[in-house]
Amino acid sequence: LDPLWSDAAIDFVGVDFYPPITDWRDGTTHLDAKAGFGGPADPAYLAARIAGGEAYDWYYASDADRLAQSRTPITDGAYGEPWIYRAKDLTSWWSTAHYPRKGGVRLSSPTSWSPGMKPMRLTEFGCAAIDKGANSPNLFLDPKSSENALPPFSNGGRDDLGQRRLLEAVLSHYADPAASPISPVYGGPMIASDAMALWCWDARPFPEFPARSDLWADASAWGRGHWLTGRAGAGDLADLIAALLLHAGLDPTKADLSGASGIVQGFVVDQPARLIDTLSELALAFPFDLAEREGRLALVARDMTSAVTLDPTTLGLPQAAAVPVTRHRALKPAPDRMRVGYADLTRDYQTGEAFARSPSPEGGGASQANLPLCLTESQARAVGLRRLARARAERDTVEIHLPTDLAHRIEPGDGVRLAPDAALYRVTAVDLSPSPRALATGAEAPDAGGPAPPDDAYKVSPSAQPSGPPAVALMDLPPLPGSETDTRPLVAAVRTPWRSVSLSAGASADVLSQRALLSAPAVMGLTATALSPGVRFRFDVTNTLDVQLGAAALSSASQSAVLSGANAAAVQADNGEWELIQFLNATLIAAGRWRLSGLLRAQGGSDLAMRAGASAGQPFVLLDGTPQRADVAASERGLALTWRAAAAGTTSADVASATLTAVWNGIALRPWAPCQLTAARTAAGDIALSWIRRARLSGDALDGDPPLSEEREFYRVEVHGPDGALVRVLSPATSSVIYAAADQKTDFGGPAPSGVRVTVAQGSAIYGFGAPSDPLML
């Protein structure tokens, strides 16, 4: 490609930089672990392999060689130009003249490329956030791609830290003048800091991408893909600890933070705390220990790759002991289960809970931990598994008697083995008495938290929708079962989307005060058919009622349930009052449309509303306990009040508010209409009228007369002539009265003719006269 790169129309050399960086495998017996590197995200390991290792110093000639780690050195014995075969040796390529080879023979004349003639740019570089991604940074999981594969030896789990550390390693490497020298031609570095494009940033907003898999088909690839969106803002654990040290007034440069390895998406310090307590919280969530090294704080990784193997034959033997190593095991079993509380990254930082269960339970019961960390559910579960494994391992303790020279080299926090493949122990104390010894507890395996966390599905709240004004029903109802003495109006509201509604009222719009707070939407709708007057005191098998609801649903109930109060609803009649009904059957006949049958009508003494009937389009409210009472004063009965409903927490002038003027008459105080009005003429020509009063309160007993719900008993009996004109009013104090022959003669000139209509209403000292009875025609 030298003719292209050296052409005057070309400004720079572009490279997609995805060579193999690492060659990590699980365990501690492979070559890179034996070389002392700390894992696939070890910064020193990555720094050494940007321009070293595979594709630089050596290569694998076959898959079998890769499996066996049989490495073939990269050489160029004939001409001493091994950089020709090094995919990672950009510096040599850029700073050296290029001599073509034909048939393996080096020509004497170079190409048109001259050393350092143009800058280079990393047009892409990066690594998938997947376990051991640096083993092959070009690979990622996407069935639509030819590079859809796991990196060699990867378990397929998610690994944000490995991705982050590779990016840092590449950026740091080419910031070094030794790797990016200054050009003698254009006077700038080989690769400038602004000439490296990380792959990849995404213009789609996070977390909608990847949460909205209904919009984007590649959303499922985000978790273990190359995306930096949603990840790059996370903090390095060592940086977080350095910030905590600074906040505590300590110099982080005087601490050894190299053992802290991890990514932190969020950490909460919500109250005064000791630094040691805060660091201990992190040490329980991440695999490191707090220790002291040479008089300074040190964070010691628990990966155990640097564990010291002790030779039992060289250990000390105290005078009082027969063996150099004494083992103990705690009798109390380790916890088997752990509940982990955390702030859930995938659900807008809501409080989350993850549950971890030990793969080898010992009957130790459950434990819990509340982490001040922002995590996904699988990350929190991995922390729980690691803590269970640590508790299980720490049941085992050993006392190791050491020779003096070794006792001075081992420190708390060090890892030790008593044989090459023996169990791991973590030194907790060293006693340098005349008989030196070390105390150690069992250590969990490096992968005790399980594989790297898998993908976690992000959830986003529905898109914000403007909420319209609430639909409000202000119901002046008869006494309701269970709250017969509460005469305040009942209020209900709905709005889309739902938000709690505050209801205020006052004599005018400028003197409103809150009267109710509705925290849940009511089941409300409109009548879709007319509701004609019907029968009382038994199921109405003639009339049905269709109602149109929104997203709410109705259900049928048994006859005994309805007779016990189920399926009660209020329907506003054409006269403005509310009829209380109940229904046996609710049948969905169209989207949101329900047909109600098996009706009980005029419940609670709502006779006047039932007689008026309800046209289609009148409000319907299910009385399921959701509607709330509105606070009113007794002095406000009969006054026209201004009512305003708005979203709770907004001003009363909220544009999405509903305002209405309504009068509360205290229908719950109104006496019910008497029933079974009868008339009988006597021999003297008098008409004897009698009726049965109805109990507004406590009238459920079936034996004896209905109780008197008012302060005293009195009635108003009205006599209307055939033309409807009121001709006489009688005021008895009992449930019977005589319409005397003499009064009939005064009213009609003789006995009352046919067509005369009589009604009776019971009186109340508080309310006045109540609902009139059904008319009796004489």
Side-chain angles (χ1 to χ4, degrees), residues 602-700:
Q603 296 291 81
S606 54
D607 304 62
L608 293 182
M610 186 272 286
R611 293 172 194 161
S615 304
Q618 290 286 66
F620 168 92
V621 181
L622 187 68
L623 302 179
D624 58 354
T626 302
Q628 301 294 309
R629 296 286 183 178
D631 291 330
V632 290
S635 60
E636 291 177 318
R637 185 161 66 92
L639 298 181
L641 299 180
T642 297
W643 296 81
R644 174 168 287 159
T650 62
T651 65
S652 60
D654 179 24
V655 293
S657 63
T659 303
L660 66 153
T661 300
V663 177
W664 168 62
N665 290 310
I667 297 298
L669 296 170
R670 184 174 69 184
W672 291 6
C675 63
Q676 298 189 34
L677 176 58
T678 61
R681 290 184 184 270
T682 67
D686 298 336
I687 299 177
L689 299 170
S690 64
W691 55 87
I692 296 176
R693 69 169 181 261
R694 292 167 68 196
R696 180 173 59 86
L697 302 173
S698 306
D700 291 333

Side-chain angles (χ1 to χ4, degrees), residues 142-278:
D142 185 348
K144 301 182 295 298
S145 171
S146 61
E147 296 178 312
N148 174 39
L150 289 174
F153 310 104
S154 172
N155 62 21
R158 178 175 163 180
D159 184 6
D160 291 4
L161 178 63
Q163 180 193 54
R164 168 85 163 243
R165 291 284 173 81
L166 181 137
L167 295 174
E168 292 173 343
V170 175
L171 290 167
S172 297
H173 179 81
Y174 287 108
D176 185 350
S180 182
I182 301 299
S183 168
V185 178
Y186 57 85
M190 178 183 82
I191 302 176
S193 60
D194 61 352
M196 292 184 278
L198 285 69
W199 185 260
C200 64
W201 301 97
D202 204 306
R204 292 171 289 186
F206 179 87
E208 278 71 15
F209 177 79
R212 296 297 305 277
S213 57
D214 57 324
L215 293 180
W216 297 297
D218 58 344
S220 62
W222 177 88
R224 290 170 289 171
H226 283 73
W227 282 274
L228 303 176
T229 316
R231 278 192 275 255
D236 188 282
L237 176 61
D239 292 340
L240 170 64
I241 294 175
L244 292 171
L245 292 173
L246 278 173
H247 190 71
L250 302 177
D251 185 355
T253 63
K254 296 181 179 179
D256 179 7
L257 308 182
S258 60
S261 179
I263 288 290
V264 183
Q265 290 279 8
F267 181 71
V268 179
V269 180
D270 59 358
Q271 60 186 351
R274 298 189 307 163
L275 177 63
I276 186 64
D277 295 333
T278 303

Side-chain angles (χ1 to χ4, degrees), residues 327-574:
R327 292 179 170 85
H328 305 276
R329 186 174 181 84
L331 295 176
K332 183 179 179 180
D336 300 321
R337 304 177 304 281
M338 175 166 284
R339 181 193 65 79
V340 180
Y342 62 101
D344 196 333
L345 277 172
T346 65
R347 287 168 174 77
D348 201 22
Y349 303 100
Q350 298 180 50
T351 300
E353 281 192 342
F355 296 89
R357 186 179 296 273
S358 172
S360 54
E362 299 178 347
S367 180
Q368 67 178 34
N370 292 310
L371 303 179
L373 288 164
C374 299
L375 303 168
T376 66
E377 181 181 5
S378 61
Q379 290 169 345
R381 185 179 298 111
V383 171
L385 288 171
R386 188 180 300 114
R387 292 182 66 162
L388 288 174
R390 184 178 301 185
R392 191 165 57 250
E394 288 178 348
R395 289 186 62 200
D396 295 319
T397 59
V398 293
E399 181 180 353
I400 307 170
H401 294 276
L402 302 170
T404 302
D405 60 335
L406 183 58
H408 283 83
R409 295 199 307 268
I410 290 181
E411 297 182 275
D414 287 345
V416 296
R417 302 173 189 268
L418 297 175
D421 296 323
L424 301 170
Y425 290 91
R426 176 70 64 181
V427 176
T428 57
V430 177
D431 180 2
L432 297 178
S433 64
S435 297
R437 59 180 183 147
L439 302 179
T441 62
E444 74 277 13
D447 58 350
D455 298 350
D456 289 273
Y458 277 74
K459 301 293 184 182
V460 292
S461 301
S463 300
Q465 302 176 26
S467 182
V472 181
L474 183 67
M475 298 171 284
D476 194 358
L477 298 179
L480 297 179
S483 59
E484 290 85 354
T485 60
D486 195 339
T487 63
R488 296 173 298 167
L490 206 64
V491 290
V494 293
R495 68 187 301 170
T496 302
W498 172 255
R499 181 177 173 182
S500 294
V501 170
S502 174
L503 189 69
S504 303
S508 61
D510 58 346
V511 291
L512 301 181
S513 60
Q514 183 170 306
R515 304 304 181 94
L517 180 63
L518 306 177
S519 58
V523 178
M524 287 179 59
L526 298 174
T527 58
T529 58
L531 182 60
S532 302
V535 298
R536 295 174 299 171
F537 317 129
R538 55 188 173 88
F539 287 102
D540 187 343
V541 297
T542 302
N543 287 311
T544 62
L545 174 64
D546 289 0
V547 294
Q548 187 71 38
L549 306 179
L554 301 174
S555 59
S556 300
S558 65
Q559 188 176 98
S560 59
V562 171
L563 293 176
S564 297
N567 280 355
V571 178
Q572 190 167 31
D574 292 341

